[in-house]
Amino acid sequence: MAYKDYYDVLGVSRSASDADVKSAYRKLAKTYHPDKNAGDEKAAERFKEIGEAYAVLSDPEKRKLYDQYGHAGQVPPGAYPGGAGGFQGGDFGGFDPGQFSDFFQQMFGGRGGFAGAQGGFRNPSGQQVNIEDLLGGLGGAGQSRRFVQNVEGELQVTLEEAYSGSDEVINVDGKRLALRVPAGTRDGARLRLAGQGPGGGDVLLTIRVLEDARFELDGDHLTTTVDVPAPVAALGGDVKVRTLGGQIGHLSVPPGSSGGRRMRLRGQGWPRKDGSKGDLYVRLNLTVPGDLSEREKELYRQLRELRPG
């Protein structure tokens, strides 16, 4: 299996800062998000690659190991049973089990998963190594040892899913696990599935909330933009506003409103732990129809004559 270089996947250099990595990821995730590329298998695969690359390069320890050893399948000699300097009974041959555990950290299938979950790992000689063999067969002849192993990964959710909460299913070592992402979950939040990892370890998930072109999140408040016809902005009137939760609200636009004006819908922002919500700010975008009738054009000409400049 050929692996792509994670730096190439995100289009950044090996000396890229954390901010550069995050910025590149967000731009690419927005471009290739499934919501914008329904039915496009190539875009879905690209989106998965982007998530895998970011999962490693955004984590200082994982990035350090990746820079040193490459992909998880390219484990240093001696990291597998039977290799030079490998495990003999309970001896780890000088290799730190804490580092060894990072090679089991994979990206969850779909919007998250574990890299290598489809087909396992390969040892330095290129032979396929099953994760069950690694976790259950590291003992000497005639004995079986199973190491309790915590595994980590990232789960990507849309802004709307993070807002309302969502039910997800992930695959860990061939086992399907159901979980609930609570309403109001923030980017970077951690979920723990106790005892669901290989050998009875825990599955630790970091939630990554994708950006949404329709809404901006700042603290507990959301901002969206709504189109307002020029006559409504001039004379006042109601316009419909779609909230992040999918509801349709009505906003009363005062007469003489200008483009860029911000108005507030209280209690329509991000959910808080106490059950309340922040506010939704609505930015007005004045619009003029591109297909004016002759009567409409005449009225605009009269308006221009009445208010020149």
Side-chain angles (χ1 to χ4, degrees), residues 12 27 45 57 70 88 107 110 122 125 178 218 231 234 240 254 301:
V12 298
K27 290 179 181 178
E45 183 62 27
L57 300 186
Q88 301 296 328
M107 288 296 296
R122 294 182 183 276
S125 63
D218 183 11
K240 294 181 179 180
R301 279 192 287 267

Side-chain angles (χ1 to χ4, degrees), residues 119-168:
F121 299 92
R122 294 182 183 276
N123 65 15
S125 63
Q127 295 175 318
Q128 185 95 355
V129 179
N130 190 295
I131 191 170
E132 290 295 332
D133 296 334
L134 290 174
L135 294 176
L138 296 184
Q143 66 182 101
S144 176
R145 297 188 181 183
R146 188 167 186 83
F147 291 92
V148 175
Q149 178 68 46
N150 291 342
V151 291
E152 297 187 13
E154 289 191 346
L155 179 64
Q156 296 176 344
V157 297
T158 65
L159 188 66
E160 191 163 357
E161 288 170 335
Y163 173 87
S164 301
S166 66
D167 294 309
E168 305 290 340

Side-chain angles (χ1 to χ4, degrees), residues 94-108:
F95 187 75
D96 181 1
Q99 290 182 336
F100 183 55
S101 69
D102 286 297
F103 294 113
F104 294 150
Q105 295 175 359
Q106 316 156 11
M107 288 296 296
F108 288 90

Side-chain angles (χ1 to χ4, degrees), residues 186 216-223 269-270 272 278-281:
R186 302 276 186 167
E216 302 166 17
L217 176 61
D218 183 11
D220 294 333
H221 306 305
L222 290 162
T223 299
W270 200 257
R272 300 185 177 114
D279 299 328
L280 173 62
Y281 289 89

